[in-house]
């Protein structure tokens, strides 16, 4: 039997944190055994907020290299750049014609993002429709994304069902694949908020590509509390977050980590957490450097991925064009 399709994408709009790594990238590799995985660099989404062209170009290739460094096999999975597969834009146009503006206006991410813009452009409103196209082009069954994307997946299901009803069954109706119950990684400086690369305080987050000394320094400065004992408890959110980071990298239960540090002080805890992160990231960082430095190989991966993605996507788009009544010779 053919494997079911898993689709996910990341925008090349900045460096990724260990939260992105533990919550998404590190799981993407594991899914490859059981699913046909399709991983995309969403550069067309990225331009819905203004980008410096040179930065966007560089970060797009950074992200392809990072996917590979995190264990995505570009032969087994489809790994490609969104703008290199024209069907994404083409299907988006068709789906725009059956998407309600009211529903787009109610997307919480749109509301948040548009508040930050002086002028709100149509691309930002239609951002979710492009996402819907990404997913539907490949007859995706599962979309592994964070909770913040749930509303967009619901929209995807609505639009797929609307098209299937209005014309005839065409799209697989996908489901969100909830991240495996694991920790939400919080800010090292304020454990009440999620770790984010856009935090003004650089000590609040650890990037996947941070140097070992930077990682050690940031963890040393992490906020704890005055209790002085290591417990995995909501009353000690800073310590809890450190235990979450430790246990995620060590692939153990937080309870086990708590026992390990039962008689430790915060200094010792932090040293061990830092070593776990440094050790966990080092194979990723090494592989990243190797592949990012090999322009030819990166280009080959992108071309190969785009070609295979285009082949799959064009099958779906042809069906769509036929069903809506476009002339095809
Ligand atoms: N909007 C997603 C994010 O910012 C990225 C994305 C684009 C995506 N297209 C997608 C995720 C399709 C899942 C499926 O995280």
């Amino acid at each position: 039997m053919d494997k079911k399709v898993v689709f996910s994408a990341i925008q090349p709009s900045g460096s990724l944190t260990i939260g992105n790594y533990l919550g998404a990238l590190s799981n993407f590799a594991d899914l490859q055994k059981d699913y046909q995985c399709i991983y995309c660099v969403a550069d067309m989404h990225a331009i819905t907020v203004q980008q410096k062209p040179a930065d966007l170009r560089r970060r797009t290739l950074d992200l392809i290299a990072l996917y590979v460094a995190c264990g995505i096999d570009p032969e087994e999975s489809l790994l490609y750049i969104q703008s290199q597969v024209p069907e994404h834009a083409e299907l988006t146009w068709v789906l725009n014609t059956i998407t309600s503006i009211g529903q787009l206006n109610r997307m919480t991410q749109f509301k948040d993002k548009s508040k930050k813009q002086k002028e709100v452009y149509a691309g930002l409103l239609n951002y979710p429709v492009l996402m819907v196209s990404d997913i539907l082009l490949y007859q995706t069954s599962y979309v592994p994304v964070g909770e913040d994307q749930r509303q967009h997946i619901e929209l995807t299901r609505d639009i797929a069902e609307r098209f299937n009803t209005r014309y005839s069954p065409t799209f697989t109706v996908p489901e969100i694949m909830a991240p495996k119950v694991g920790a939400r990684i919080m800010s090292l400086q304020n454990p009440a908020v999620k770790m984010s690369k856009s935090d003004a305080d650089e000590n609040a987050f650890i990037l996947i590509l941070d140097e070992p000394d930077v990682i050690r320094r940031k963890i040393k400065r992490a906020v704890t509390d005055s209790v002085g004992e290591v417990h995995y408890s909501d009353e000690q959110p800073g310590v809890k977050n450190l235990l979450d980071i430790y246990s995620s990298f060590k692939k153990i239960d937080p309870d086990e980590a708590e026992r390990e540090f039962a008689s430790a002080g915060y200094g010792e805890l932090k040293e061990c957490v830092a070593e776990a992160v440094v050790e966990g990231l080092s194979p990723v960082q090494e592989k990243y450097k190797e592949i990012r430095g090999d322009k030819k190989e990166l280009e080959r991966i992108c071309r190969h991925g785009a070609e295979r993605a285009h082949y799959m996507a064009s099958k779906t788009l042809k069906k769509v064009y036929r069903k809506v009544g476009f002339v095809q010779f």
Side-chain angles (χ1 to χ4, degrees):
M1 215 186 71
D2 275 355
K3 286 180 179 172
K4 291 201 168 163
V5 173
V6 160
F7 183 99
S8 201
I10 301 177
Q11 294 188 64
S13 47
S15 311
L16 299 176
T17 70
I18 55 168
N20 303 118
Y21 177 71
L22 295 170
L25 277 162
S26 68
N27 302 330
F28 285 0
D30 295 338
L31 294 169
Q32 295 178 115
K33 300 193 288 299
D34 300 319
Y35 301 97
Q36 170 62 61
C37 293
I38 306 180
Y39 297 122
C40 170
V41 176
D43 58 345
M44 292 165 69
H45 279 102
I47 61 165
T48 56
V49 298
Q50 202 175 348
Q51 304 283 336
K52 289 206 184 97
D55 289 351
L56 180 61
R57 217 180 330 267
R58 176 175 41 77
R59 286 205 227 96
T60 297
L61 293 176
D62 290 349
L63 188 49
I64 291 280
L66 191 62
Y67 269 120
V68 177
C70 290
I72 307 305
D73 176 348
E75 303 306 319
E76 207 173 306
S77 298
L78 263 74
L79 177 58
Y80 70 97
I81 301 168
Q82 189 181 32
S83 63
Q84 298 190 339
V85 180
E87 285 80 3
H88 289 260
E90 294 171 319
L91 182 60
T92 300
W93 178 253
V94 175
L95 297 183
N96 265 322
T97 66
I98 58 163
T99 303
S100 122
I101 295 182
Q103 197 172 7
L104 292 179
N105 267 319
R106 286 193 296 277
M107 293 288 129
T108 52
Q109 278 208 337
F110 170 68
K111 288 196 267 186
D112 290 347
K113 287 183 188 170
S114 54
K115 266 185 225 145
K116 294 178 198 147
Q117 307 291 323
K118 276 206 291 290
E119 179 122 47
V120 178
Y121 293 112
L124 198 62
L125 180 68
N126 287 310
Y127 176 112
V129 189
L130 179 58
M131 223 177 123
V132 171
S133 300
D134 295 344
I135 297 166
L136 296 185
L137 272 176
Y138 302 96
Q139 307 296 349
T140 302
S141 293
Y142 302 108
V143 188
V145 280
E147 268 311 308
D148 62 327
Q149 297 295 318
R150 181 176 290 276
Q151 208 182 15
H152 292 155
I153 308 306
E154 292 301 327
L155 177 76
T156 308
R157 295 171 57 84
D158 287 352
I159 294 178
E161 278 164 1
R162 188 169 306 132
F163 192 97
N164 288 349
T165 311
R166 183 175 298 196
Y167 300 99
S168 62
T170 307
F171 296 122
T172 303
V173 181
E175 282 170 45
I176 190 168
M177 185 183 252
K180 65 167 193 246
V181 272
R184 258 178 101 209
I185 305 301
M186 311 308 276
S187 156
L188 296 178
Q189 292 300 314
N190 173 11
V193 303
K194 209 173 110 178
M195 181 181 285
S196 160
K197 56 155 199 255
S198 41
D199 203 305
D201 183 352
E202 281 200 7
N203 288 317
F205 55 81
I206 297 173
L207 299 177
I208 300 176
L209 298 175
D210 270 347
E211 297 285 340
D213 284 345
V214 174
I215 295 173
R216 291 189 186 103
R217 192 182 68 230
K218 287 178 176 175
I219 291 179
K220 203 177 224 165
R221 294 186 185 164
V223 164
T224 49
D225 52 55
S226 54
V227 177
E229 278 173 38
V230 178
H231 298 291
Y232 188 75
S233 127
D234 288 335
E235 265 101 81
Q236 296 178 252
V239 169
K240 181 170 185 243
N241 191 37
L242 290 173
L243 287 171
D244 276 330
I245 294 172
Y246 181 82
S247 55
S248 302
F249 274 102
K250 290 283 189 186
K251 299 191 172 71
I252 60 173
D253 254 22
D255 297 342
E256 199 180 326
E258 183 184 35
R259 284 195 295 277
E260 222 174 283
F261 294 105
S263 56
Y266 294 164
E268 186 187 342
L269 170 69
K270 285 177 171 181
E271 265 168 44
C272 293
V273 175
E275 285 328 298
V277 176
V278 168
E279 207 176 283
L281 291 178
S282 100
V284 174
Q285 298 186 344
E286 240 167 73
K287 178 93 196 179
Y288 177 84
K289 281 190 194 124
E290 179 194 319
I291 186 92
R292 187 64 181 92
D294 189 344
K295 273 230 170 89
K296 275 232 171 73
E297 173 63 2
L298 263 186
E299 184 178 327
R300 189 198 64 78
I301 290 170
C302 294
R303 282 178 189 276
H304 180 60
E307 216 169 274
R308 289 156 69 218
H310 163 67
Y311 177 80
M312 280 180 78
S314 66
K315 281 201 207 168
T316 304
L317 189 73
K318 275 205 190 86
K319 273 196 214 162
V320 168
Y321 274 18
R322 179 162 47 75
K323 295 195 187 200
V324 301
F326 291 169
V327 172
Q328 286 177 298
F329 296 119

